[in-house]
Amino acid sequence: MNETFGGLSMVLTNGNEIFNNARKGKYAVGAFNINDLEWTRAILAAAQETNTPVLVQTSMGAAKYMGGYELCLHLVQDTIKAMGITVPVVMHLDHGNYEAAKECIEVGYNSVMFDGHDLPFDENLEKTKEIVKLAHAKGISVEAEVGSIGGTEDGITGAGELADVEEAKTLNATGVDYLAVGIGNIHGVYPENWQGLNFDRLAELAAAIDTPLVLHGGSGIPKEQIVKAISMGISKVNVNTELQLSFAKATREYIEAGHDQDVNAKGYDPRKLLAPGTKAITDTTKERIEWFSTPSVK
């Protein structure tokens, strides 16, 4: 545990140095949502096998499902220890409202996202300032969002608007550590008539802001668009839906093959039932790490 990644000890840590290095190096680090123990183990396994840093995150809904933010933090901490994980790991709140962000700061997450995009901009700005002050006092990173990300996340629906450059500059001036920007991206499955990422707006944002930029809705965007966005300043790419789809597909294949009904092999054992889906999460995560050109820990 004495090795370092850009001077950073390989322990549960905030994302500042990891994502600043990514912005400078024109690569990205993946942010992968966890939903239970299998998700946690699968994503951490992918990071360890590729020897790359990783950000694991809980949405408000997933944290509620799993038993609360404190339990989620302990799950990740204890799983890191149990699996002997040695790469840098960031524990992050994804799309948190004001109260969730404050709670995760108090619980001890390494990083939080305060998503105030659905508030009037002035209110989003003031609350972002408060979260930054609270978080930075404890060495915790902060992500904010400008411009609605399309789709629905924890009951908040956005139309996929483009981030306003001046608003982005103002929000960035609060001292946030990374900034999520709307560039035509959406959460969930992309519709057939999706127009693609708006690279003109991304170029404007990247020219105005040197803070690491975040691409939400990374599931379903074609590889060539993700690679181009990373080359232009995207340093953190969020992935959730693609892992869910991979898990569901592998689990369905296991059941449709009748393996769960094999009494002699105890195919109904949840450890066996969940194993194909868990492996699929690891495989998809490793594939995305390759897409993002995340460098190995030295």
Side-chain angles (χ1 to χ4, degrees), residues 6-230:
L8 185 69
S9 295
M10 291 187 206
V11 294
L12 201 56
T13 182
N14 72 32
N16 292 358
E17 189 167 350
I18 289 173
F19 292 102
N20 284 327
N21 287 343
R23 177 74 195 262
K24 293 173 186 175
K26 295 187 176 181
Y27 60 85
V29 174
F32 302 94
N33 288 64
I34 60 172
N35 294 282
D36 58 21
L37 174 62
E38 278 72 29
W39 247 261
T40 305
R41 289 182 60 85
I43 293 165
L44 290 176
Q48 189 68 23
E49 289 172 24
T50 56
N51 196 37
T52 55
V54 70
L55 184 147
V56 295
Q57 55 190 15
T58 56
S59 67
M60 293 190 297
K64 181 179 179 180
Y65 167 77
M66 294 167 69
Y69 300 112
E70 187 171 17
L71 186 152
C72 291
L73 176 61
H74 290 171
L75 172 65
V76 172
Q77 289 173 325
D78 292 346
T79 303
I80 287 171
K81 181 179 179 180
M83 293 179 68
I85 301 299
T86 58
V87 296
V89 179
V90 182
M91 180 66 184
H92 180 75
L93 168 66
D94 185 31
H95 286 285
N97 61 23
Y98 181 67
E99 294 303 325
K102 288 200 299 181
E103 184 175 347
C104 287
I105 291 168
E106 190 63 31
V107 165
Y109 272 48
N110 308 108
S111 181
V112 297
M113 177 187 185
F114 167 57
D115 181 359
H117 83 264
D118 59 327
L119 302 173
F121 182 73
D122 287 345
E123 185 178 354
N124 182 10
L125 181 64
E126 288 308 308
K127 287 189 173 179
T128 298
K129 288 179 181 178
E130 292 178 39
I131 294 298
V132 167
K133 182 177 180 180
L134 291 171
H136 284 184
K138 295 190 174 185
I140 297 168
S141 301
V142 177
E143 175 182 346
E145 179 175 319
V146 61
S148 173
I149 309 301
T152 300
E153 184 86 6
D154 278 334
I156 300 173
T157 299
E161 67 192 43
L162 301 182
D164 180 272
V165 177
E166 291 304 314
E167 287 187 354
K169 289 166 63 176
T170 301
L171 198 60
N172 186 64
T174 62
V176 295
D177 301 289
Y178 18 95
L179 186 65
V181 292
I183 52 173
N185 43 318
I186 68 172
H187 293 118
V189 178
Y190 282 77
E192 291 184 6
N193 63 350
W194 180 59
Q195 298 300 304
L197 297 178
N198 189 309
F199 291 108
D200 290 340
R201 181 54 51 89
L202 176 57
E204 293 178 271
L205 291 163
I209 297 167
D210 58 8
T211 299
L213 301 177
V214 182
L215 180 65
H216 283 248
S219 297
I221 299 176
K223 179 180 179 181
E224 60 271 16
Q225 291 195 35
I226 287 179
V227 170
K228 182 175 180 179
I230 291 170

Side-chain angles (χ1 to χ4, degrees), residues 235-255:
S235 309
K236 173 177 176 279
V237 181
N238 284 27
V239 180
N240 182 24
T241 301
E242 240 155 24
L243 299 186
Q244 294 179 349
L245 292 172
S246 294
F247 179 86
K249 180 176 183 290
T251 305
R252 183 184 310 111
E253 289 172 351
Y254 179 88
I255 293 173

